[in-house]
């Protein structure tokens, strides 16, 4: 895992970068900071291997902050001002993301970070990839989670999850292996952060296993039949929310053949 620090004085921009970092399986978020001064304090006590840093910030700019670092991690600058691009490369930044940038743009920058970190550590990129693991699962070593339901705690294989439905403070986990969903007290945000990259939130109320999507029809996805279902079964239609269309369409475009 590559230990990453996110720095941006704009809360919404910082929130987006943090969300993107958490979707990259080989990144581990060390901290999120709203100033370079705060980031400096973090780096005095934490190991940081890569930084996603805004440039135009009060008190101490991202550029000046990076120039002052005695030992410089891998740097990716994020800014709304294109005129900083050349200056960014003068401090050996591996990439420069111009706001607003998409998750696909961020993925490309993440790949450059991984390659740079692997090169600095003497590893080949495929060796670095082999050492990467999925996001922290609170001590669970295999592809599973434990959830509380009906006064008991049960193990669920993550690959068995077809989709997740949010209902106020509760979640319904629909599984391939059983016809009825598992209901547990948990937030959508917590579940979204925990699941690996083949899961995507496509609606305020739905997280879907992308491996189960069989068809995309207008503003909805259609899931294939569950293994536990016998005989003919109705298709499962899940809506794609307006706030999630861009991210889902980016995922789709990476796998779409032809026009």
């Amino acid at each position: 895992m590559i230990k990453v620090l996110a720095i941006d004085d704009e809360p919404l921009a910082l929130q987006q970068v943090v969300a993107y970092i958490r979707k990259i399986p080989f990144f581990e978020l060390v901290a999120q900071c709203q100033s370079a001064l705060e980031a400096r304090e973090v780096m005095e006590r934490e190991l940081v291997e890569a930084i996603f840093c805004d440039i135009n910030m009060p008190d101490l700019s991202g550029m000046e902050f990076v120039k002052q670092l005695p030992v410089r991690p891998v740097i990716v600058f994020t800014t709304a001002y294109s005129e900083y691009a050349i200056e960014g490369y003068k401090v050996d930044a591996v990439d420069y993301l111009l706001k607003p940038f998409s998750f696909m743009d961020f993925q490309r920058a993440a790949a450059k970070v991984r390659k740079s970190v692997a090169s600095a550590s003497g590893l080949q990129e495929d060796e670095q990839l082999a050492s990467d693991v999925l996001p922290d699962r609170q001590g669970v070593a295999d592809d599973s989670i434990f959830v509380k339901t009906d006064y008991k705690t049960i193990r669920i294989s993550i690959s068995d999850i077809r989709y997740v439905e949010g209902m106020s403070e509760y979640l319904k986990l629909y599984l391939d292996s059983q016809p009825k969903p598992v209901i547990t007290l948990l937030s959508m945000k917590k579940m979204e952060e925990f699941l690996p990259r083949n899961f995507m939130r496509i609606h305020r109320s739905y997280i879907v296993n992308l491996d189960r999507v069989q068809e995309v029809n207008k503003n909805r996805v259609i899931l294939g039949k569950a293994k536990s279902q016998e005989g003919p079964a109705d298709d499962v239609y899940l809506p794609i929310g307006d706030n999630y269309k861009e991210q889902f369409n980016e995922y789709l475009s990476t796998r779409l053949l032809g026009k």
Side-chain angles (χ1 to χ4, degrees):
M1 299 286 280
I2 299 172
K3 297 183 181 299
V4 180
L5 177 64
I7 314 169
D8 201 306
D9 65 310
E10 298 177 12
L12 290 179
L14 181 61
Q15 183 179 349
Q16 183 192 50
V17 171
V18 167
Y20 284 170
I21 288 172
R22 286 173 171 159
K23 288 181 181 294
I24 302 296
F26 49 86
F27 277 175
E28 177 185 340
L29 181 67
V30 172
Q32 48 184 301
C33 303
Q34 288 190 261
S35 73
L37 299 178
E38 182 184 353
R40 180 186 290 167
E41 294 179 1
V42 170
M43 294 185 69
E44 288 177 355
R45 63 178 187 269
E46 300 283 351
L47 171 65
V48 174
E49 296 173 286
I51 300 176
F52 285 81
C53 184
D54 185 26
I55 293 179
N56 193 23
M57 294 187 293
D59 298 325
L60 181 64
S61 75
M63 190 68 64
E64 290 303 316
F65 167 68
V66 169
K67 288 178 179 179
Q68 293 176 11
L69 292 175
V71 178
R72 195 173 296 167
V74 178
I75 305 295
V76 176
F77 283 118
T78 63
T79 183
Y81 303 96
S82 59
E83 59 266 27
Y84 287 120
I86 295 177
E87 189 178 357
Y89 288 118
K90 287 182 180 179
V91 294
D92 297 325
V94 298
D95 208 350
Y96 177 95
L97 293 172
L98 185 63
K99 300 176 182 178
F101 49 87
S102 68
F103 182 56
M104 188 177 298
D105 296 328
F106 189 87
Q107 284 179 304
R108 284 192 285 265
K112 293 180 181 180
V113 170
R114 182 175 65 189
K115 184 175 182 179
S116 182
V117 170
S119 176
S121 62
L123 296 174
Q124 295 298 317
E125 190 173 358
D126 55 351
E127 291 178 307
Q128 175 68 38
L129 180 60
S131 68
D132 296 333
V133 296
L134 294 173
D136 180 26
R137 292 190 177 159
Q138 302 175 353
V140 179
D142 57 0
D143 183 32
S144 63
I145 57 176
F146 286 91
V147 298
K148 293 181 179 180
T149 181
D150 294 333
Y151 306 102
K152 59 186 176 182
T153 301
I154 65 172
R155 180 195 292 269
I156 293 177
S157 171
I158 290 179
S159 59
D160 192 30
I161 301 173
R162 302 182 71 221
Y163 67 99
V164 179
E165 180 181 6
M167 309 182 305
S168 186
E169 298 178 347
Y170 290 83
L171 297 182
K172 283 185 177 181
L173 279 61
Y174 291 85
L175 309 179
D176 265 333
S177 60
Q178 60 187 62
K180 292 184 179 181
V182 173
I183 301 176
T184 186
L185 179 63
L186 193 65
S187 70
M188 285 287 280
K189 179 177 175 58
K190 186 67 175 179
M191 179 61 76
E192 184 182 13
E193 292 174 354
F194 190 84
L195 291 172
R197 60 179 175 176
N198 60 309
F199 285 81
M200 181 180 292
R201 191 166 184 177
I202 62 168
H203 187 274
R204 179 170 54 89
S205 301
Y206 295 103
I207 299 172
V208 66
N209 184 339
L210 296 170
D211 296 336
R212 300 296 185 273
V213 175
Q214 297 297 314
E215 184 178 334
V216 181
N217 190 334
K218 296 182 179 179
N219 292 327
R220 59 187 181 180
V221 299
I222 303 174
L223 303 188
K225 176 181 175 182
K227 296 176 182 178
S228 60
Q229 293 174 331
E230 296 181 358
D234 294 334
D235 289 329
V236 176
Y237 293 82
L238 301 179
I240 303 172
D242 291 340
N243 294 334
Y244 304 90
K245 283 181 183 178
E246 180 181 357
Q247 181 181 337
F248 182 77
N249 287 336
E250 288 173 4
Y251 158 78
L252 199 62
S253 67
T254 63
R255 289 155 177 79
L256 184 65
L257 299 180
K259 296 181 178 180

